[in-house]
Amino acid sequence: MLYLSDELAVRIRTHAAESYPHECCGAVLGSDSGSWREVLDLFPLVNRRDDSPRNRFVITPEDFRAAEQTARKGGLEVIGWYHSHPDHPARPSEYDREHAWPWYSYVIASVMQHLPKDMKSWRLKDDRTEFDEEEMEITPFGTINGGRVNAGEGDHPDRASALRGQARKR
Amino acid sequence: MKVIIPTALRPYAGKQESVSFDARTVGEALSRLTTQYAELRKHLYTDDGKIRSFVNVYVNDDDIRYLQKENTQIKDGDTISIVPSIAGG
């Protein structure tokens, strides 16, 4: 399960719409408990595929390192990457699969004729044969404890309930 | 020498951040790595045994593509880093 605040979801969609008809890309920063992930920040990047930006993106090793350094400074880690699919659905292409890394959450935002549409998250299977869709919950409020996860919450049996409870207290 | 494992591949390398080996070349180090942790191989190499295009290997701060690739010599104290490029479409 990937938890994403409404604000950060809007930021991805906005980046995707502003980049249309080109693909946008960026790093997804957050925490990984082992059983769920929480997105706590984004690190927008430049699509370096100058030759084919409408249907390809690339994040260079230098940009990769910059994203990791930014995450570490904030006490976070790079848990995934986002990119957009202009005029295509929010599901991975074969090219996405061929170039994917395991473990990361791949968030794909569909943009149709400038308008943001679906957004879904995917994880590559261990055997690299295909992606599994990762359940994603976009919460209409911030993240628990204002964006930091308490030690020991990693095995919380019902993360969504915990988040909703936190929201009611606000 | 030491091989730094990227976060995405640590689940396939005993969750370790780095692994140390005695090796004379980058190719030998990666071969030892993927022999010890066989599950890493499919993520680092294509089916015909070439390093995948989105896998970047550095000796200290130098990309091996601009050295002698997998034949790049290494010495004690060197650090090999596997740094991903992220690509898709």
Side-chain angles (χ1 to χ4, degrees):
Chain A
M1 171 66 92
L2 184 73
Y3 293 95
L4 175 67
S5 72
D6 193 37
E7 178 201 343
L8 294 177
V10 167
R11 280 174 55 189
I12 294 174
R13 289 186 167 118
T14 301
H15 191 188
E18 287 176 350
S19 302
Y20 183 91
H22 295 172
E23 294 197 10
C24 74
C25 57
V28 175
L29 315 185
S31 61
D32 172 35
S33 78
S35 53
W36 49 263
R37 292 174 164 186
E38 185 171 31
V39 183
L40 297 167
D41 205 354
L42 302 170
F43 189 68
L45 288 160
V46 173
N47 181 359
R48 306 288 186 187
R49 276 297 296 263
D50 295 334
D51 58 328
S52 187
R54 287 174 180 244
N55 64 349
R56 297 285 185 263
F57 79 95
V58 69
I59 294 168
T60 63
E62 293 74 23
D63 286 341
F64 178 94
R65 284 178 153 165
E68 286 217 315
Q69 284 171 3
T70 299
R72 275 198 298 273
K73 281 181 188 170
L76 306 174
E77 62 182 322
V78 176
I79 58 172
W81 305 91
Y82 71 86
H83 73 281
S84 59
H85 276 183
D87 297 322
H88 283 278
R91 63 170 179 265
S93 62
E94 178 60 12
Y95 190 86
D96 286 329
R97 186 195 63 77
E98 288 172 358
H99 292 79
W101 288 80
W103 191 80
Y104 288 125
S105 296
Y106 281 84
V107 176
I108 301 177
S110 172
V111 185
M112 299 288 186
Q113 297 299 312
H114 295 276
L115 296 177
K117 297 291 184 182
D118 286 356
M119 186 160 65
K120 294 181 178 179
S121 184
W122 305 84
R123 300 271 297 269
L124 183 69
K125 281 181 184 288
D126 282 346
D127 64 6
R128 305 191 60 85
T129 55
E130 61 182 340
F131 280 92
D132 286 325
E133 185 172 352
E134 179 178 38
E135 200 175 350
M136 181 167 68
E137 182 168 319
I138 298 176
T139 60
F141 38 81
T143 49
I144 198 162
N145 292 330
R148 290 294 180 271
V149 181
N150 286 333
E153 286 179 342
D155 54 359
H156 197 291
D158 187 347
R159 174 75 174 151
S161 295
L163 286 165
R164 281 192 286 271
Q166 185 76 9
R168 281 194 296 271
K169 291 175 189 172
R170 292 183 173 176
Chain B
M1 46 68 55
K2 184 167 71 172
V3 181
I4 306 290
I5 312 292
T7 306
L9 296 185
R10 288 177 195 160
Y12 309 95
K15 298 184 178 177
Q16 297 183 86
E17 291 185 17
S18 65
V19 184
S20 293
F21 294 104
D22 288 328
R24 288 170 299 173
T25 64
V26 169
E28 192 179 322
L30 294 180
S31 175
R32 291 192 177 193
L33 178 69
T34 53
T35 298
Q36 184 167 341
Y37 299 106
E39 287 296 301
L40 282 177
R41 187 161 186 85
K42 61 179 174 293
H43 298 297
L44 294 178
Y45 292 96
T46 59
D47 290 342
D48 56 358
K50 293 179 180 165
I51 293 179
R52 290 183 181 276
S53 60
F54 51 89
V55 175
N56 306 283
V57 182
Y58 291 76
V59 174
N60 303 319
D61 289 327
D62 298 320
D63 188 333
I64 64 166
R65 290 188 185 95
Y66 304 107
L67 300 173
Q68 283 77 49
K69 301 183 180 174
E70 288 175 80
N71 293 322
T72 302
Q73 301 282 315
I74 48 178
K75 57 185 184 303
D76 283 352
D78 281 346
T79 297
I80 296 177
S81 304
I82 300 168
V83 182
S85 293
I86 306 296

